[in-house]
Amino acid sequence: MLANATAGCANSACTVAACAANFGNCDKAPLNGCEENLLSDVNNCGACAAKCAGIANGTVACAAGKCAVGSCAAPFKNCNNVVADGCESNSTNDPKNCGVCATVCSANVCVNSVCPQCVNLGFKTGTGNFACPGGYRMPKVGEYNLVAPCVSPNDAAAFSYYKDVAVSVGGCNCKWNGGWCGQPSIETIRQGRCCGDYSQLHICIK
């Protein structure tokens, strides 16, 4: 009896007369019958010798006789359900698939799998600080991407370009020419002016 096959006889030798549905005699050897499951074998997916191509950032699979995405390497995900481009979304920084597929960040920024939330506490002249409301905190160095979504077009017009937004608290916190200097507040200073009574844009994040 041959596996997954109907046996035949030719020239006094056993042969595979027919394969059971969804199985194939892909190695052409009669003694092991129809050895390949065409529904799940990535090297014979749907038909003998129909090999599934590798995919980006993951492993390929054969499901119901069709090539599919089997698994994705973290932090990538197959959010568009297209096999050809594999696991196309990096969920740590994809604002349309932030953390999980279909989680869209309203600010079009995704940082470490989280949609930033921030509040713009407004402008103030002077060196004083603003207290953040409950649940929010002052940004730290390196969190510019969290601060930038909170800057409005009006802010940009008043304070030049977004890269001026400071992202540190206390002491050295005014971003200027790639360095830091200034006063204990979150602020945007134009033309490299840090110390003194200048307008400040205060921001809190969570």
Side-chain angles (χ1 to χ4, degrees):
M1 184 174 181
L2 302 180
N4 310 309
T6 299
C9 183
N11 299 320
S12 300
C14 290
T15 62
V16 174
C19 289
N22 301 317
F23 286 88
N25 179 23
C26 297
D27 64 2
K28 307 301 182 182
L31 294 183
N32 61 356
C34 299
E35 80 287 350
E36 299 297 348
N37 187 333
L38 304 180
L39 295 180
S40 59
D41 184 357
V42 294
N43 293 312
N44 302 280
C45 192
C48 287
K51 185 176 181 179
C52 295
I55 61 171
N57 308 312
T59 58
V60 73
C62 178
K66 294 183 179 180
C67 295
V69 174
S71 63
C72 292
F76 295 92
K77 299 182 184 297
N78 177 29
C79 293
N80 63 5
N81 294 316
V82 175
V83 178
D85 60 3
C87 303
E88 83 291 345
S89 173
N90 184 337
S91 65
T92 62
N93 57 23
D94 184 350
K96 295 182 179 179
N97 303 282
C98 190
V100 296
C101 292
T103 297
V104 180
C105 297
S106 59
N108 201 37
V109 175
C110 175
V111 180
N112 296 326
S113 302
V114 176
C115 295
Q117 298 182 48
C118 62
V119 291
N120 181 335
L121 299 183
F123 299 109
K124 180 181 179 181
T125 298
T127 60
N129 210 340
F130 279 96
C132 289
Y136 287 81
R137 63 174 174 80
M138 288 290 189
K140 299 177 182 178
V141 173
E143 292 184 325
Y144 169 75
N145 286 333
L146 292 170
V147 175
C150 204
V151 179
S152 71
N154 289 337
D155 297 334
F159 286 104
S160 185
Y161 52 95
Y162 288 4
K163 290 183 179 180
D164 281 341
V165 177
V167 291
S168 179
V169 176
C172 202
N173 73 334
C174 172
K175 188 170 186 179
W176 172 39
N177 294 335
W180 302 94
C181 66
Q183 7 190 85
S185 60
I186 300 302
E187 58 198 18
T188 304
I189 305 297
R190 296 184 66 185
Q191 300 174 349
R193 299 178 299 178
C194 275
C195 301
D197 293 337
Y198 298 112
S199 294
Q200 304 165 17
L201 172 60
H202 293 257
I203 292 174
C204 294
I205 63 170
K206 70 176 180 179

